[in-house]
Structure formats: C-alpha cells, structure tokens
Amino acid sequence: MNTEISKAAVDALVKNKNLTDGEFKALLQTGEFDGYLFECADKVRREHYGDEVYIRGLIEISNYCKNNCYYCGIRAGNGNAERYRLTKDDILSCAKEGYRLGFRTFVLQGGEDMFFTDEVICDIVSGIKKEYPDCAVTLSLGEKSFDSYKKYYDAGADRYLLRHETANNEHYSKLHPESMSLENRKQCLYNLKKIGYQTGSGFMVGSPYQTYETLIEDLRFLQDLKPDMIGIGPYITHKDTPFKNFESGSLCLTLRLVAILRLMFPYVLLPSTTALGTIHPQGREMGLKAGANVVMPNLSPTSVRKLYTLYDNKICTGDEAAQCIECLKRRVESAGYRIVTDVGNVKK
Ligand code: 5AD
Ligand code: FES
C-alpha cells in the first residue's frame, strides 16, 4: 500500500504537484523507491545546475554561545567546551587563503556570542566585501533583531543561514530551553527575506522526539517560507549535552529528505553537509547523488577546528584548507560532478 503511494508520490513531485500529508508520510517511510527517487532528484538538479557543485568557505568565528539548545555541543551550559573567538585579522586571513583556493563565498558561522556586536560584525563584513567585491558573504550567527539584520545587510552581507530546526511548537520546546521560541525563529526568517537576503533554513534529521508528522510540518513550513537555501543533516549526538543518550539520525532518511527537497524546490541551494559526511564515510557523495549541489569545506584555522564541535566525531578537523578542498574535489568528481569557482547564487 505504502509502496504504491510512494512511487506515485515521487512522480507527482517530479511534476511539481503538491502532496498530501499521507503521501509525504508514505514517501518518508518507504525505502523501496530510493533509487528511483534519487535518480529523479539528480535529473532535476542537473536541469537547473548541470554538474556544477558550489563551494562555500566555512569560517567558524566563535564557539561562545549564550543559548543552551539541548542538542548542541557549544551550548552555554557545556562547561567542558574550550572557548575561542577569531579576530577580524584571523577572519580576513582565512578569506585570503580561501580566495586563493577558489572560494567565492565565505560563510561566517558562530554561536550567539555577545562579543560580536553589530558594529564588530558590520566591520568584518564590510572588510571582506572591500577586499573581495566579487565574493558573497553569508552569515550564520543566530537570532538577531530586524535592525541588526538590516545593518549587516547594508554592510554588504548577501545571505543568511538560520535553520528553523523544527516547525512544530511542541517539538521545538523539547529541543530548546524556554528562553527560545519557534515563533521568534520564524519571525527572524521572514525578516531576513523581507530585508532582501538570500535566506537559508533547514533542520536536523532524526533529532530527539522528531516524528514523520513533525518532518511533514518542516516541509510545509519550507513551502511557506520558500527559502533560497536549505540545510539539512543528520542529528549527531554530542557527549556533553542533555541529549547524550539519544541515537543519531539515519543516513537513509537524510538522503531521502535531500531528494524530496530537491524535487519540491528545484532551484534551491542544497548542501551535502559535514554531518552527512560524519555519519558515513561517503555520506557527502551520496548527498550529491541524491540532489545536493553545495559543499561547505572548512576554512577555519586548524588551531580552532576541533573546538567548534556541535556534535561528536566531526570530520575535517585536522586538515589544512588546501588539503580539505583537494579531498573534496576528488570526492565530488567521484560522484560525477565538479567543483566550480563561482559565487554560486540561487538560480530561480
Ligand atoms: N547534530 C547535528 N547538527 C547539529 N546542529 C547543532 N547541533 C547539532 C548536532 N548535535 C546543527 C543545527 C544548527 C547548525 C549550525 O548545526 O541544525 O542550526
Ligand atoms: Fe548555540 Fe543553540 S547552543 S545556538
């Protein structure tokens, strides 16, 4: 029964039709048509982006965070985390090396670190844009006010990543302390879009208390938001969090969701995430073959790589940026695609 529904559901998605909750559920539950699903997703991806894979240089600027998300290794309450923050000079030298290696997008990611005031952030953003006007700057620094987002945008930031994590209120409150709300998270995302950012959202697959129903709510929320970028990856346990006894998310379900998202949002920028590469040695290659078209190698200084641990066993924490990109080039090619030097804007 589910099997028939899920094959028909893939065909419906390819034709750009909306699915019922029942159809989504059948699709999420059934692995039998994964091959077909991935093939369709890859076809759609190639129609929009050919075999090109965009690279984003990830610079992890700080692991200080005022928040206490129960799943996250850099939560304020983790007394075992050794904290660091990069200076503007550190960040600019990461960008310099990145530019040399062919990166044309820099993603500044960090915890919600109050040291990075609006002024400091704007100064860094405009510094990068001045030096590299042909590059995009993406920020991933959490929840801020409309005014702060607007200031960063006016300073030159082009894109913003803020995963909604889950679109179900009850689930959201099981993943976060009371000080955080889904409502505010969603408001931030709508504000970012309104300001003019290319906006990214997303969620973890297999986070504690997630169900097929909450996943369907995630898909519905994304249909409403219409983001330019969608980041998903498996939830991976971190030993120093309240969720340390929960299992990590599954590779298969993550890949299935990558493919579903590609079919639902043909134009979307969809990374094959480090978390995917962490739960399986070929996870990122599989993500690309299931419809992903972006990879985000780490450009952070090697001295701090190991400290930015959102989850256990994160890969790529030992290698120099240049080694990382070489390794990724080979991986991307082995999957049948190629890395390009391009700012990599969304093709809507
Ligand atoms: N496992 C997987 N992903 C995680 N993130 C945070 N903690 C974890 C974890 N334990 C993700 C969140 C966040 C992004 C930066 O990293 O989705 O938005
Ligand atoms: Fe830093 Fe959640 S612990 S944003």
Side-chain angles (χ1 to χ4, degrees), residues 30-309:
T30 321
E32 201 175 328
F33 287 102
D34 280 354
Y36 182 61
L37 173 66
F38 299 166
E39 221 173 272
C40 292
D42 183 58
K43 188 159 169 270
V44 167
R45 169 260 205 263
R46 285 178 192 271
E47 278 164 17
H48 286 77
Y49 291 97
D51 64 352
E52 297 190 348
V53 171
Y54 298 138
I55 46 172
R56 318 298 195 194
L58 182 64
I59 308 174
E60 297 154 332
I61 67 170
S62 168
N63 72 349
Y64 283 88
C65 191
K66 72 173 170 60
N67 292 332
N68 240 326
C69 310
Y70 302 140
Y71 47 82
C72 182
I74 64 166
R75 60 199 304 273
N78 180 8
N80 291 334
E82 187 186 325
R83 306 287 170 170
Y84 77 91
R85 59 172 68 95
L86 301 184
T87 63
K88 182 184 176 183
D89 281 349
D90 293 333
I91 296 168
L92 282 172
S93 61
C94 292
K96 185 173 182 186
E97 171 72 350
Y99 193 89
R100 191 183 71 80
L101 294 169
F103 289 89
R104 295 296 177 266
T105 292
F106 302 111
V107 182
L108 309 187
Q109 187 176 85
E112 293 194 16
D113 179 356
M114 294 303 101
F115 172 85
F116 286 93
T117 58
D118 289 351
E119 215 186 332
V120 174
I121 293 172
C122 289
D123 182 51
I124 295 169
V125 170
S126 56
I128 298 177
K129 291 295 282 196
K130 192 169 145 233
E131 198 88 16
Y132 309 103
D134 53 334
C135 292
V137 171
T138 304
L139 299 178
S140 177
L141 301 171
E143 297 180 9
K144 309 276 178 180
S145 68
F146 185 97
D147 286 349
S148 297
Y149 285 150
K150 180 81 171 71
K151 283 183 199 157
Y152 313 156
Y153 188 77
D154 292 338
D158 304 274
R159 310 187 187 127
Y160 205 102
L161 303 175
L162 181 70
R163 291 186 180 178
H164 66 279
E165 312 298 358
T166 173
N168 176 280
N169 263 310
E170 212 177 303
H171 187 209
Y172 195 92
S173 67
K174 287 183 179 161
L175 299 181
H176 304 95
E178 244 173 75
S179 54
M180 296 175 73
S181 76
L182 177 59
E183 197 193 346
N184 192 54
R185 185 59 63 126
K186 285 184 175 173
Q187 190 57 56
C188 286
L189 285 161
Y190 289 110
N191 288 346
L192 288 163
K193 278 203 76 167
K194 192 167 172 201
I195 292 167
Y197 282 97
Q198 291 178 47
T199 302
S201 195
F203 52 89
M204 293 172 287
V205 178
S207 62
Y209 310 106
Q210 185 175 69
T211 62
Y212 289 118
E213 282 69 28
T214 64
L215 278 172
I216 294 164
E217 288 183 66
D218 290 322
L219 300 178
R220 297 280 177 226
F221 169 66
L222 292 172
Q223 283 179 323
D224 187 66
L225 180 69
K226 300 182 185 63
D228 305 289
M229 306 168 280
I230 301 177
I232 67 163
Y235 160 75
I236 302 173
T237 289
H238 187 289
K239 62 182 185 332
D240 297 320
T241 67
F243 286 166
K244 63 173 182 237
N245 293 323
F246 282 90
E247 272 180 38
S248 295
S250 100
L251 173 73
C252 291
L253 187 57
T254 308
L255 294 173
R256 208 169 292 148
L257 275 155
V258 166
I260 291 170
L261 289 167
R262 170 59 63 206
L263 293 176
M264 289 176 71
F265 305 95
Y267 56 82
V268 86
L269 296 164
L270 192 55
S272 197
T273 53
T274 305
L276 251 182
T278 298
I279 55 162
H280 189 285
Q282 265 82 51
R284 282 169 302 176
E285 290 87 322
M286 290 189 250
L288 292 170
K289 289 186 191 167
N293 66 331
V294 172
V295 289
M296 299 172 69
N298 202 321
L299 273 186
S300 308
T302 33
S303 56
V304 305
R305 294 262 187 104
K306 282 197 169 57
L307 304 179
Y308 196 82
T309 31

Side-chain angles (χ1 to χ4, degrees), residues 313-326:
N313 305 318
K314 193 175 128 190
I315 54 167
C316 303
T317 55
D319 308 325
E320 295 288 341
Q323 294 171 320
C324 232
I325 186 74
E326 274 315 309

